[in-house]
């Protein structure tokens, strides 16, 4: 078995004006595609590992043979992270979560506005390339950030909402203005999908 690039669940221009079509095209068709290709290449001689769902593969990253571990970490992480990222955005997204997810966010962070500020802060302070996450760690809802394509699953966290702050996610439209990209990005969120991810991560 090999890993495959999931189709983008909407048109390239669906997230305009917040995220431009060209960025989405390059991000999905080039960057994500390359992670998948390079993950498959790294695992060519490891059919037993290559048949694992990517989240299982990454949960045991420390047991992957050392010669390919970095390649699997970076490209497997890239594949898993982006597969989630596309789905938590949609055309006409935004607003706020509802139901159980909304209550969980409020009790963990004070309010939705406080949560937003804290996630933005984690994303802004991440130096260079990486991600900011909302996740369960030891049964608690927390915000963390990771470098590169690392995913919290690599050290036992269960992330269900992630924000890509690699320059490739925003540079064409926002150049060095990461905070402007972050502000815009909240208008794309598919809270229904995030709520579904939340329910699965909570199990
Ligand atoms: Mn990316």
């Amino acid at each position: 078995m090999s890993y495959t690039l999931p189709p983008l669940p909407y048109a390239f221009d669906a997230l305009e004006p917040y995220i431009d079509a060209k960025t989405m095209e390059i991000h999905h068709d080039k960057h994500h595609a390359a992670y998948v290709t390079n993950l498959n290449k790294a695992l060519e001689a490891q059919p037993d590992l290559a048949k694992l769902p990517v989240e299982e593969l990454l949960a045991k990253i420390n047991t992957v043979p050392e010669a390919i571990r970095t390649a699997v970490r970076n490209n497997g992480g890239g594949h898993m992270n982006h597969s989630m990222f596309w789905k938590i955005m949609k055309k006409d997204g935004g607003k706020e979560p509802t139901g159980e997810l909304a209550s969980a966010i409020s009790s963990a962070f004070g309010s939705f506005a406080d949560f937003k500020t804290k996630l933005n802060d984690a994303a802004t302070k991440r130096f260079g390339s990486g991600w900011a996450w909302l996740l369960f760690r030891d049964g608690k809802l927390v915000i963390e950030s990771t470098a590169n394509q690392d995913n919290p699953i690599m050290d036992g966290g269960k992330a269900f909402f992630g924000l890509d702050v690699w320059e490739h996610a925003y540079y064409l439209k926002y150049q060095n203005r990461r905070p402007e990209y972050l502000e815009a990005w909240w208008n794309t969120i598919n809270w229904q999908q995030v709520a579904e991810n939340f329910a699965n991560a909570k199990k």
Side-chain angles (χ1 to χ4, degrees):
M1 192 191 118
S2 61
Y3 298 96
T4 53
L5 178 67
L8 196 65
Y10 35 73
F12 293 129
D13 65 359
L15 308 180
E16 295 267 12
Y18 308 110
I19 302 179
D20 61 288
K22 196 70 193 166
T23 294
M24 291 304 292
E25 182 181 348
I26 297 171
H27 201 172
H28 178 270
D29 288 11
K30 304 290 184 200
H31 290 278
H32 190 170
Y35 297 129
V36 173
T37 302
N38 292 328
L39 176 62
N40 288 330
K41 212 177 286 174
L43 290 172
E44 256 166 14
Q46 299 285 340
D48 288 347
L49 290 176
K51 68 182 180 214
L52 295 175
V54 69
E55 54 276 10
E56 282 179 37
L57 175 68
L58 297 178
K60 52 189 272 180
I61 188 68
N62 293 324
T63 66
V64 169
E66 208 176 340
I68 58 166
R69 195 179 301 155
T70 301
V72 171
R73 183 180 195 113
N74 291 338
N75 295 292
H79 178 38
M80 180 172 168
N81 296 346
H82 290 86
S83 298
M84 174 202 282
F85 190 58
W86 310 132
K87 289 176 73 178
I88 60 160
M89 301 185 289
K90 66 167 191 174
K91 187 176 176 62
D92 301 323
K95 303 194 184 68
E96 293 188 16
T98 54
E100 217 186 311
L101 173 60
S103 332
I105 285 177
S106 295
S107 41
F109 307 107
S111 67
F112 179 71
D114 289 330
F115 160 68
K116 222 174 124 174
T117 303
K118 284 170 185 161
L119 195 91
N120 280 346
D121 197 47
T124 307
K125 286 184 179 151
R126 168 51 53 191
F127 184 77
S129 297
W131 291 73
W133 304 100
L134 177 60
L135 65 143
F136 283 105
R137 181 172 302 281
D138 304 322
K140 281 183 64 183
L141 207 52
V142 294
I143 289 168
E144 294 178 3
S145 77
T146 57
N148 305 315
Q149 294 295 353
D150 285 357
N151 183 290
I153 203 167
M154 293 170 182
D155 66 352
K158 277 166 98 181
F160 58 91
F161 181 64
L163 163 54
D164 188 346
V165 292
W166 281 59
E167 285 185 345
H168 68 218
Y170 62 87
Y171 206 84
L172 287 182
K173 186 176 172 82
Y174 297 100
Q175 290 84 49
N176 60 326
R177 304 185 305 278
R178 187 185 285 187
E180 269 181 51
Y181 156 67
L182 300 183
E183 248 344 285
W185 179 75
W186 289 100
N187 295 296
T188 69
I189 307 305
N190 181 345
W191 286 113
Q192 205 175 345
Q193 180 65 52
V194 181
E196 214 173 285
N197 295 355
F198 165 76
N200 288 330
K202 227 177 91 176
K203 280 176 193 159

